[in-house]
Amino acid sequence: MVPPISGEPSPYGLLGGCIDVVTVTDPHELNGTDTLSLSCADSNPWQDCPDPLFPNPAAKIFDRPRTCTYEPITVYAGVTCSTFGLSFEEGQQRALEQLRLGEQRALEAFFMERVLCGYATGNNLTPAAGALSVPAGVGVLEGWLAANYGGQGVLHVPAGAAALLSSHRVTNWGDPPYTLAGNCVVIGAGYASNIGPADPGPGCVVAPSGETWLYITPPIRVRRDAPSLTTNDESLSVNTSTNDRYALAETTFVPETACCMAAAVRVVIC
């Protein structure tokens, strides 16, 4: 029997070059986190000697930071085989490799359902007339981000729609890819559930056939721990009643977004 063929995770997913991924040293952070939003409010103009036709506001504006709360998600990979077909070391290695290749997609599916869709409630930018073209949809999202955040953000695109960004000249393909406006692009296999905010909310709905949801957010940070093996002793890996060997690898993530906000739009992909 020859060695198996190994692979690499998608380079542009939620754990790719767009995202600040932090391996935590304090395990308490993996229980979920709270943070105060940063740079998520407007700056305002002021003149010492204003034009009488355009006077200053009566008072300067002071904004309070918003508290954002983020949930954890644990992703696991399990492997089983007869003890005659798989050694303890092989099982451990296979579980870790399965987790390495699959963790990003599972995280993206969680992120779309529990973060993107929820934060975009009230910010569904799809017009009443229906889904937009890809360039128009990206433009609407980037306009919203510029008005509500002002800095570089992250465009979230299902893997099945990524090629349309290039064909419509929406992106500068690099490593990672960026839009022409300078927002980084996450291409997520886990976004295949294709859900977006119900209008009116709450809840999420699947896009109609021939359409997909795109999202935009401020910058993202993902906290994680190092992958670990639950079956880390050979005596724990064998079910003696069936003579089957098991291996289980796990890792926990806490995905965070600046300002805990997002916007969504439906675009036509046919």
Side-chain angles (χ1 to χ4, degrees):
M1 183 178 295
V2 301
I5 299 172
S6 184
E8 294 298 326
S10 172
Y12 306 132
L14 198 53
L15 297 175
C18 280
I19 308 302
D20 181 17
V21 180
V22 179
T23 301
V24 302
T25 56
D26 182 356
H28 294 94
E29 294 179 5
L30 299 176
N31 294 326
T33 58
D34 295 299
T35 186
L36 293 177
S37 59
L38 180 66
S39 301
C40 301
D42 286 334
S43 297
N44 302 286
W46 184 269
Q47 289 182 301
D48 286 337
C49 300
D51 187 321
L53 297 177
F54 303 98
N56 287 320
K60 291 186 177 179
I61 299 170
F62 294 83
D63 295 290
R64 292 184 180 274
R66 178 182 176 186
T67 300
C68 301
T69 299
Y70 308 100
E71 297 178 283
I73 177 66
T74 296
V75 178
Y76 74 92
V79 173
T80 185
C81 189
S82 165
T83 54
F84 294 102
L86 196 68
S87 70
F88 173 69
E89 292 77 14
E90 289 171 334
Q92 303 287 84
Q93 181 181 1
R94 282 180 174 273
L96 286 172
E97 180 67 3
Q98 186 170 313
L99 181 64
R100 185 179 74 91
L101 290 176
E103 62 184 5
Q104 183 170 239
R105 181 170 54 187
L107 174 62
E108 289 162 354
F110 169 83
F111 188 72
M112 172 170 266
E113 178 181 354
R114 302 299 292 271
V115 180
L116 291 177
C117 183
Y119 284 176
T121 297
N123 293 322
N124 178 3
L125 307 182
T126 310
L132 298 173
S133 68
V134 170
V138 172
V140 165
L141 291 177
E142 292 189 317
W144 177 90
L145 185 72
N148 290 276
Y149 180 66
Q152 284 185 310
V154 182
L155 179 70
H156 301 265
V157 180
L164 294 175
L165 298 180
S166 178
S167 66
H168 288 288
R169 302 184 183 274
V170 173
T171 52
N172 290 314
W173 286 106
D175 190 11
Y178 282 84
T179 69
L180 301 182
N183 296 303
C184 200
V185 181
V186 164
I187 299 170
Y191 296 156
S193 57
N194 202 13
I195 57 174
D199 191 12
C204 303
V205 293
V206 177
S209 177
E211 300 178 6
T212 196
W213 287 99
L214 303 182
Y215 287 89
I216 203 163
T217 64
I220 294 173
R221 177 176 59 204
V222 175
R223 298 181 187 272
R224 68 167 304 163
D225 61 354
S228 61
L229 288 157
T230 303
T231 51
N232 55 6
D233 184 275
E234 186 163 11
S235 63
L236 300 175
S237 71
V238 178
N239 182 341
T240 55
S241 64
T242 61
N243 205 29
D244 284 335
R245 188 184 302 282
Y246 294 84
L248 180 64
E250 296 182 340
T251 188
T252 297
F253 299 97
V254 180
E256 305 166 333
T257 66
C259 310
C260 44
M261 65 180 185
V265 70
R266 291 198 327 272
V267 296
V268 177
I269 58 173
C270 283

